[in-house]
Amino acid sequence: MSKQTFIQGTMILILAGLITKVLGFINRIVVARIMGQEGVGLYMMAVPTLILTITLTRLGLPVAISKMVAEAEAERNPQKIKQILIVSLTITGVLSIIFTTAMIMLAPILSQNLLTDSRSYYPLIAIAPVVPIIALSSVIRGYFQGRQNMRPSAYSQVIEQIVRITLVAILTGALLPYGVQFAAAGAMISVVIGELASLLYMFSIFKMQKRIRVRRGFFAYLSKGRDTFNQLLRISLPTTASQLVGSISYFFEPIVITMSLAIAGVTTVMATSQYGALAGFVIPFLTLPMFITYSLSVSLVPAISEAAAQKKHHLIERRLNQALRISMLSGGISVVITYVLAVPLMDLMYDAPEVARYVKVMAPFFFFLYFQSPLQAVLQALDLAKAAMMNSIIGAVVKIIAIFALATRPELGIMGAALAIVINVVLVTMLHFATIVKVISYTVVVKDYLKGIFTIGATGLTVAWFYSQLNGSLLLNTLYSIIFAVVIYLVLIITLNLLKKEDVHFIPILNKLIK
C-alpha cells in the first residue's frame, strides 16, 4: 500500500472515523436493546478504568512513533525505523503487562468500594485482555501513519467495529440468562475480539510489506536504543500529560456519580441503571454528529499555523470566524433535532423514552461543545497547548465538584450529574475562547450569530409544529421530521447567507465531494 498525500490521508481517516462512529452507535443500540439501562450502566462503569489504563500503557507513543518514523523515512534510514519499532514494542509490552495485572488485581476494590456495585467486577475482568492488544496496535498504527499510509489504520477501525457488532448480540444474548453482569462482560469480550481482529489485520499488512524484520537482531537493536528511548519519551510525555487530564477526569466520573447517588438515597441497582442511561444513551447520542467539527479541526491547525508563522493576524481572525460560524451551523441543526425529537428518538433507538428528559436539559448546552474542538485546534496551532490543558483541568475539577454538590441532592439525583457535565462543557469552551481573545485581536461578527440564533429557533419551532401534525408510525413521523428539519434549516442558512462558498472549501470532506 502506497503512501497518500496529506489531504488524501485526512480524507481516509475522516471517512473511516465517520463509518466507525456510526457502526459504534449501532453497537450501542444493540447492547442497550439486549441489556437495558442496568446492563449498559455496568458496561459503562468499566470503560473509564479501561481508558485510563490504555492511556498509561500507550504513553502517547503513537504520535511520537509517527513523527520519528516520518523523519527516519525522509532520511532513508530503515535501521532507525526498526529501532523505533523495537524500543516502542518493548515499552508498550512492559507497560501493558504491569497495568493489565494491576487492573485485574484492583478490580475487586474498584467494583466493591469505589463504583459501589460489585457486579462491575465482571466487565472489568473481561475487558482487561484488550490492553496489550490496543498497546501493540497503537505501535503499528503509529508506524503506518509515520509512513503516511493511513489506509491500514482506517480499515482496521472499520474491521474492529464490524467484528464487535457481529459478536456483541451473540455474546450478550447468550450470557444474559446468567445475569446482567455476565451480559455486560460478554459485551466487553466482543470488544476484545474486535480489537484482536484489528491488530491481526494491521500485523498482516505489516508482514506482507516485508520491509522490516523486527525479530532479527531484536536484542542488539534494543541494547543500543537508549537515544531512541529518550527521543520517544521527549515527544510522547507532553502528549500523555494532556490525555491523562481527560482520562483521570473520566475515571473519577462514575465513582463520584455512584457515590453521590448513594448519599442521595438511590439504591445501587437504580444508580447503575441511571448512570447507564446518562453515560451509555444520552452522551453518545448528543456527540454523534460531531464528526463535522473533527473534520474542521483537522484543516484548522495547519491553516492557523501557517497564518501565525507569516504573522497574518487578519487571516487568523478570518479563519477563526469561519470555523466558529461552521461550528454554529453544524451544532444548530443537531440541537434542533436532538431537542425537538428527543422522545421519539430515545424510544426508537433505546426503547427508553423517559431518558429524553436528560437530552432536553443537556442538548441546548451541548451546542457549546461544537465550538470547543475548533477552539482547541486554534490553541494548538498558536502553540498554546499548555493553556488548553489547563483549561481542561479547571473544567474537570469543577465538574467533579459540581457532580458531588448536585447529585447528592435527592431532588436532583442523576439530573445533578447531567447538569455538572453541562457546566464542564460550557466552562471549558468559554475558557478556550477567552484564552484565544487574550492572544489575538478578535472581533465577534454579531450579525452572523443573531442570524444563526434566529435560524435555529425558527427551525425548532417549525419542526415541533410539523411533528405534532403527523399521524403515521413513530418511525416514519421521526424520519419525515428530520428530513423536514434539514430542508428548512438549509433554506434559512442559504437565504440568510450564513454558509459561504469559502466555508464549504474549508471543510476537507465537503471540498473532496465537490471536486
Side-chain angles (χ1 to χ4, degrees):
M1 291 186 179
S2 59
K3 73 178 185 179
Q4 299 91 41
T5 65
F6 171 74
I7 293 298
Q8 287 174 333
T10 301
M11 279 300 304
I12 289 169
L13 290 178
I14 289 171
L15 290 173
L18 173 59
I19 293 168
T20 53
K21 199 169 183 70
V22 171
L23 290 175
F25 199 72
I26 293 170
N27 177 69
R28 289 178 184 276
I29 293 172
V30 172
V31 169
R33 286 280 180 169
I34 296 173
M35 297 194 302
Q37 294 180 29
E38 189 180 350
V40 173
L42 291 171
Y43 177 91
M44 292 305 298
M45 281 181 176
V47 171
T49 303
L50 171 66
I51 298 299
L52 178 59
T53 307
I54 289 171
T55 302
L56 292 168
T57 303
R58 292 171 63 181
L59 209 65
L61 283 173
V63 175
I65 294 166
S66 175
K67 175 178 169 57
M68 291 179 64
V69 166
E71 291 171 351
E73 182 88 356
E75 296 168 1
R76 300 185 184 277
N77 189 347
Q79 287 77 23
K80 180 67 175 177
I81 295 175
K82 181 173 180 177
Q83 191 168 65
I84 292 166
L85 282 173
I86 288 172
V87 173
S88 301
L89 288 168
T90 303
I91 294 171
T92 53
V94 171
L95 290 176
S96 64
I97 292 170
I98 293 171
F99 288 114
T100 304
T101 304
M103 186 175 174
I104 293 170
M105 292 179 66
L106 293 173
I109 299 172
L110 283 170
S111 58
Q112 293 175 23
N113 301 325
L114 296 179
L115 294 171
T116 71
D117 194 328
S118 58
R119 296 175 301 169
S120 60
Y121 171 80
Y122 297 98
L124 279 169
I125 291 297
I127 198 60
V130 85
V131 175
I133 295 172
I134 291 178
L136 292 174
S137 295
S138 66
V139 173
I140 300 176
R141 187 170 285 116
Y143 162 77
F144 280 121
Q145 289 174 352
R147 292 190 55 212
Q148 298 179 47
N149 185 3
M150 306 301 171
R151 286 194 180 96
S153 178
Y155 296 164
S156 67
Q157 292 175 40
V158 177
I159 289 170
E160 184 266 325
Q161 287 292 341
I162 291 172
V163 172
R164 189 196 296 193
I165 290 172
T166 304
L167 292 176
V168 71
I170 299 171
L171 292 173
T172 52
L175 294 173
L176 187 59
Y178 299 97
V180 71
Q181 66 270 34
F182 293 104
M188 288 299 189
I189 292 170
S190 72
V191 174
V192 175
I193 298 173
E195 290 289 351
L196 181 60
S198 171
L199 173 62
L200 291 174
Y201 167 76
M202 285 196 294
F203 183 71
S204 65
I205 299 299
F206 179 81
K207 289 288 288 182
M208 280 193 293
Q209 290 186 347
K210 296 181 179 179
R211 292 189 56 170
I212 298 174
R213 299 182 182 276
V214 175
R215 286 182 296 178
R216 185 176 297 174
F218 184 94
F219 292 103
Y221 276 87
L222 185 62
S223 62
K224 299 174 183 177
R226 181 179 293 248
D227 288 341
T228 301
F229 175 81
N230 291 334
Q231 280 181 279
L232 284 167
L233 292 189
R234 194 158 47 244
I235 299 168
S236 67
L237 288 180
T239 306
T240 304
S242 180
Q243 292 173 347
L244 270 176
V245 173
S247 299
I248 291 172
S249 170
Y250 191 36
F251 171 75
F252 281 111
E253 188 177 292
I255 295 171
V256 178
I257 288 176
T258 51
M259 284 185 171
S260 299
L261 292 176
I263 293 171
V266 181
T267 64
T268 299
V269 173
M270 181 59 70
T272 301
S273 179
Q274 289 180 350
Y275 179 72
L278 179 63
F281 295 177
V282 178
I283 303 298
F285 173 69
L286 290 173
T287 56
L288 177 65
M290 292 196 64
F291 70 93
I292 294 176
T293 53
Y294 168 77
S295 171
L296 181 64
S297 300
V298 167
S299 51
L300 196 57
V301 173
I304 297 291
S305 298
E306 182 182 8
Q310 297 172 353
K311 300 190 184 300
K312 294 181 178 178
H313 301 293
H314 67 284
L315 184 57
I316 295 175
E317 185 175 358
R318 180 184 162 199
R319 292 299 189 202
L320 182 56
N321 269 318
Q322 280 183 283
L324 295 182
R325 186 169 60 253
I326 295 167
S327 298
M328 175 182 67
L329 296 176
S330 59
I333 186 63
S334 301
V335 168
V336 168
I337 292 171
T338 54
Y339 182 85
V340 176
L341 303 175
V343 174
L345 285 170
M346 289 293 101
D347 193 2
L348 286 168
M349 291 190 295
Y350 301 122
D351 193 24
E354 69 280 2
V355 176
R357 67 193 188 100
Y358 306 125
V359 176
K360 283 185 171 290
V361 169
M362 299 177 75
F365 297 99
F366 261 62
F367 179 61
F368 286 85
L369 194 61
Y370 287 84
F371 295 96
Q372 194 175 118
S373 181
L375 288 172
Q376 186 163 335
V378 172
L379 288 171
Q380 291 172 343
L382 295 174
D383 291 327
L384 294 171
K386 186 177 179 181
M389 185 178 73
M390 287 305 300
N391 293 342
S392 299
I393 291 173
I394 294 169
V397 172
V398 170
K399 180 178 72 172
I400 296 299
I401 294 171
I403 288 172
F404 190 76
L406 297 173
T408 50
R409 299 176 63 177
E411 67 272 22
L412 287 177
I414 193 67
M415 184 62 80
L419 292 172
I421 293 169
V422 160
I423 291 169
N424 168 263
V425 168
V426 176
L427 178 61
V428 174
T429 304
M430 296 307 292
L431 286 172
H432 282 350
F433 182 74
T435 305
I436 290 171
V437 171
K438 283 182 182 179
V439 176
I440 64 171
S441 58
Y442 177 69
T443 304
V444 177
V445 185
V446 178
K447 182 175 66 174
D448 283 348
Y449 290 99
L450 290 176
K451 288 180 181 179
I453 292 169
F454 171 78
T455 300
I456 294 165
T459 305
L461 291 172
T462 308
V463 173
W465 171 83
F466 180 80
Y467 182 77
S468 67
Q469 302 302 307
L470 298 175
N471 295 314
S473 67
L474 183 64
L475 176 61
L476 289 177
N477 288 353
T478 306
L479 286 175
Y480 291 152
S481 297
I482 291 173
I483 294 168
F484 182 75
V486 172
V487 171
I488 293 295
Y489 196 74
L490 287 173
V491 168
L492 285 173
I493 64 175
I494 292 170
T495 303
L496 297 173
N497 196 31
L498 280 169
L499 187 63
K500 300 171 176 58
K501 187 176 181 181
E502 62 267 24
D503 296 337
V504 176
H505 288 284
F506 194 50
I507 309 175
I509 190 166
L510 295 180
N511 192 19
K512 191 75 174 179
L513 289 173
I514 289 170
K515 291 181 178 179

